[in-house]
Amino acid sequence: MEQLRLLYGNLGNSMIPAVALAIFCVITLANDSNRRELLLWCASVMTSKLYMVIHARRQLSAGIPTDKADRLVNRLMLMKAVHGACWGALAWVALGKANVSDNVLVLAVLAGVLGNSMALLSPVLPVFISFMLAGSIVLGMHPLLMSDTNYGALLAVTVLYLISMLVQARNCATAARAAIELRFENDALVNLANKAQFDAEQANQVKSKFLAAASHDLRQPIHAQGLFLGILGRTNLSAYQSNVLASAQSASLASSEMLNTLLDFSCIEAGVMRLNVKPFQLQIMLNKIENDLAQQADIKDMVYRSRDTTIVVNSDASLVEIIVRNLVSNAIRYTDFGGVLTACRRRGNHVVVEVWDTGIGIHPAQQQNIFREFHQLGNPERDRCKGLGLGLAVSQRLAMLLGHELSLSSRPGKGSVFRLVLPLTSVSITHDMPAFIYDAHCLKGVHVLVIDDDEAVLLGMAHLLHSWGCTVDTTDSVTKCLELSRRQKPAIVISDYRLREQHTGAQAIMALRALQGENLPALLITGDTAPERLRDALASGIPLLHKPVSPEYLFQTLAEIVRQRNVDTSAYKAC
């Protein structure tokens, strides 16, 4: 079928040259003795050619059925035999009826037509053979060629020429078939690649859904656990109990950090990372990371320090902090002796933040793999102390999101250095006002309505808010929250994003605001990391926290809402 399609296309393209050559022969070879015969010959050549072109275009537009391919080949052989005989008849019309130069022209035209037909018809070799044989037989039976000994040598050369054309046609047919087979193979490979890509995308979607579901289901009990640990920390404990509580809080914090890494990864995939690019001092960020992670280095008896710098860069401070924090945390995790150093180097209009370590190092073949999600070196047992294998993947994607270069140099057994290139700026820094200090009784008397579909979370929130002096109503549905708000108007609403019966916290808050007023302060807390839900939650415009939320951060957030919204409570003046 493909060979026929190629041949039909060639026939359509050869119409104009064939007609032009036939007309040229009439103009050049015509004389008083052969003009009429030449005109009849020209008409027969053009008619046979036009018929084949019309047939070719019809077949191309209608399609070439597999079961009719052989029949179409036979039909083409017949048509081409007639067309070849028409061209061969040129010798009968013009050869020997003029001067020698015209005779040479006739033979040259026929040789050229045969050579051109070889290139056009070779995709289907039998069609070319039928054209060649028909034209050659008609040409060879000319009386002048058969009787005149002066043309004997020319006839012998013609036979050799026909044999060479046949060999060339066979080679061209083989090449055409090989090209068609190669295209089929390429198409098959492309289909396999597309299928593999589709399967990979499907697997990635399944992975993302699994991670989102697992993350949500894990965040609920860990969030509740953090609330209960916060309540427990406000009671009178013995020294032993305080130590046990500290260990429990440390384990809970480790779980929260891994879940937050998953959240960062999900936010990047969902495209909901909001950039806040502005000048900031690197030293403030480096000090914060050192204060937070130095204890991990101390536990491993390592040296961890940062070189002081006065450099000011232009980027998103919070996202750069996530990148550098992941790099430092990874360096500490995979370094057993020696130390970790964070330093900055100026490079023209940029600064390179470098994180050096004397750890296990990374083989060159693995240096790109470590930026893949869930890929870890030296952790086949999946020790949770070594994280999830997402930190470097998150760092690389954040660097790409910010347009910053993140690179790695490493030698196995010697250590590694990660380099993050940031743009310098000469803009002066306006220091933010210090954080507001809230009184411990700042929330006393504030009535809070809590909506969540998890009973443990509701119980933990109620106990924790009561310990801060709040009055609390709790519910797990939108309908009940409206009933409770009619009995007593809440000062603040705290709602989980995903509720029962396919409702959302955003819908619950909108219903409450329709009832109590648009200025009703509200806060969404979610354990969802599914990209579509993250986008929907952010689109609601309601402040959003992600489970697990530490009691300290929840207190600060509620106190800030009270201060900004001027919630009417007797304890507000204490803030």
Side-chain angles (χ1 to χ4, degrees):
M1 289 169 58
E2 289 301 313
Q3 287 174 276
L4 278 172
R5 187 175 289 112
L6 180 59
L7 177 56
Y8 282 139
N10 291 341
L11 289 176
N13 296 331
S14 64
M15 177 67 187
I16 294 177
V19 171
L21 182 59
I23 295 174
F24 170 78
C25 289
V26 171
I27 296 173
T28 305
L29 300 174
N31 54 46
D32 294 338
S33 63
N34 66 2
R35 182 173 284 105
R36 183 178 178 183
E37 290 84 354
L38 271 174
L39 289 174
L40 290 174
W41 168 83
C42 182
S44 66
V45 168
M46 291 194 299
T47 300
S48 61
K49 185 67 176 180
L50 181 62
Y51 180 79
M52 284 187 295
V53 170
I54 293 174
H55 168 73
R57 291 184 176 177
R58 284 178 178 175
Q59 287 302 139
L60 286 175
S61 60
I64 304 174
T66 306
D67 56 346
K68 294 183 178 180
D70 291 337
R71 189 186 309 171
L72 290 173
V73 170
N74 294 332
R75 185 175 179 182
L76 275 174
M77 290 174 64
L78 178 61
M79 288 189 291
K80 268 301 173 180
V82 172
H83 189 60
C86 291
W87 275 106
L90 178 62
W92 289 76
V93 174
L95 193 64
K97 296 183 179 182
N99 54 40
V100 176
S101 61
D102 287 347
N103 292 337
V104 172
L105 177 61
V106 170
L107 295 176
V109 167
L110 294 177
V113 168
L114 183 63
N116 182 66
S117 298
M118 184 272 296
L120 296 177
L121 305 179
S122 59
V124 183
L125 187 59
V127 175
F128 170 71
I129 293 175
S130 66
F131 174 83
M132 183 187 71
L133 288 178
S136 300
I137 291 172
V138 173
L139 172 65
M141 292 176 64
H142 190 279
L144 185 62
L145 295 175
M146 297 293 291
S147 61
D148 194 334
T149 57
N150 293 327
Y151 288 93
L154 179 60
L155 183 61
V157 171
T158 302
V159 171
L160 292 176
Y161 178 71
L162 293 176
I163 294 173
S164 68
M165 285 295 100
L166 184 60
V167 172
Q168 289 294 326
R170 181 182 178 185
N171 293 338
C172 290
T174 303
R177 185 177 180 88
I180 292 172
E181 292 176 349
L182 180 61
R183 182 166 64 82
F184 283 152
E185 292 174 1
N186 289 338
D187 289 343
L189 290 175
V190 169
N191 291 334
L192 286 175
N194 290 336
K195 183 179 183 302
Q197 182 179 2
F198 176 79
D199 292 342
E201 290 174 352
Q202 291 294 107
N204 190 55
Q205 291 180 6
V206 171
K207 177 203 70 177
S208 298
K209 290 180 180 179
F210 169 76
L211 286 176
S215 178
H216 175 270
D217 294 343
L218 287 171
R219 286 173 185 275
Q220 291 290 91
I222 291 177
H223 177 62
Q225 171 186 278
L227 298 177
F228 287 120
L229 290 176
I231 298 167
L232 187 60
R234 296 177 63 84
T235 62
N236 295 323
L237 301 175
S238 66
Y240 174 76
Q241 290 171 330
S242 296
N243 290 334
V244 173
L245 176 62
S247 298
Q249 289 175 330
S250 176
S252 179
L253 178 61
S255 301
S256 299
E257 288 177 349
M258 287 190 287
L259 289 174
N260 288 334
T261 302
L262 280 174
L263 175 62
D264 292 337
F265 187 78
S266 297
C267 286
I268 296 171
E269 287 199 330
V272 297
M273 281 286 188
R274 296 179 178 178
L275 302 184
N276 182 25
V277 178
K278 61 181 181 180
F280 70 94
Q281 288 183 330
L282 275 176
Q283 189 59 47
I284 296 175
M285 178 197 72
L286 296 178
N287 288 342
K288 182 179 179 182
I289 295 175
E290 185 173 357
N291 290 335
D292 292 344
L293 300 181
Q295 185 178 3
Q296 297 181 17
D298 292 341
I299 293 174
K300 300 183 72 172
D301 197 23
M302 290 166 42
V303 176
Y304 169 45
R305 64 188 181 91
S306 301
R307 286 182 180 172
D308 292 342
T309 180
T310 59
I311 290 176
V312 177
V313 297
N314 190 51
S315 187
D316 188 307
S318 60
L319 298 187
V320 171
E321 180 182 340
I322 292 175
I323 296 173
V324 178
R325 182 182 294 273
N326 284 339
L327 298 179
V328 173
S329 178
N330 188 76
I332 294 174
R333 185 177 295 124
Y334 289 98
T335 301
D336 294 326
F337 61 88
V340 175
L341 171 67
T342 305
C344 303
R345 301 176 187 271
R346 290 179 181 268
R347 292 290 185 270
N349 295 326
H350 294 80
V351 61
V352 182
V353 180
E354 299 179 337
V355 179
W356 294 77
D357 68 65
T358 58
I360 60 175
I362 305 167
H363 192 276
Q366 292 288 337
Q367 290 184 11
Q368 290 302 317
N369 292 334
I370 63 169
F371 291 104
R372 289 166 39 203
E373 57 267 24
F374 305 108
H375 185 86
Q376 290 182 308
L377 300 178
N379 189 22
E381 68 280 3
R382 302 301 297 181
D383 182 0
R384 70 170 180 84
C385 294
K386 294 184 179 180
L388 294 172
L390 277 175
L392 292 181
V394 168
S395 294
Q396 186 186 54
R397 295 198 182 190
L398 287 179
M400 294 173 61
L401 181 66
L402 292 166
H404 303 332
E405 179 186 350
L406 177 61
S407 61
L408 162 67
S409 297
S410 183
R411 293 176 60 189
K414 300 294 183 180
S416 306
V417 53
F418 287 86
R419 296 181 174 92
L420 177 66
V421 181
L422 303 174
L424 285 169
T425 181
S426 57
V427 177
S428 59
I429 300 297
T430 301
H431 293 283
D432 296 332
M433 294 295 292
F436 200 91
I437 305 301
Y438 297 100
D439 185 86
H441 303 288
C442 182
L443 299 179
K444 186 175 182 181
V446 176
H447 183 62
V448 183
L449 174 59
V450 181
I451 312 169
D452 202 299
D453 60 354
D454 190 286
E455 184 177 351
V457 172
L458 285 178
L459 184 60
M461 288 288 286
H463 283 301
L464 186 63
L465 291 169
H466 280 305
S467 71
W468 293 337
C470 301
T471 60
V472 185
D473 278 332
T474 61
T475 181
D476 61 358
S477 73
V478 176
T479 304
K480 292 180 181 179
C481 79
L482 294 175
E483 294 177 2
L484 291 172
S485 69
R486 290 190 183 97
R487 297 177 191 172
Q488 184 177 358
K489 178 181 178 179
I492 301 175
V493 178
I494 302 175
S495 177
D496 186 21
Y497 181 73
R498 188 166 70 178
L499 302 175
R500 300 184 188 278
E501 300 176 354
Q502 303 299 316
H503 292 147
T504 68
Q507 294 171 340
I509 291 170
M510 289 175 61
L512 287 168
R513 285 178 172 175
L515 182 65
Q516 299 293 351
E518 291 296 325
N519 292 326
L520 177 64
L523 186 65
L524 279 174
I525 301 181
T526 183
D528 265 312
T529 57
E532 62 276 6
R533 291 200 179 97
L534 287 175
R535 286 190 286 265
D536 292 343
L538 287 172
S540 70
I542 303 169
L544 180 67
L545 301 181
H546 295 278
K547 297 178 181 179
V549 182
S550 68
E552 294 80 8
Y553 187 70
L554 181 62
F555 178 86
Q556 293 289 331
T557 303
L558 294 177
E560 181 65 17
I561 292 175
V562 170
R563 186 175 72 87
Q564 291 182 355
R565 297 297 184 94
N566 195 16
V567 175
D568 185 17
T569 70
S570 59
Y572 173 69
K573 294 180 181 179
C575 293

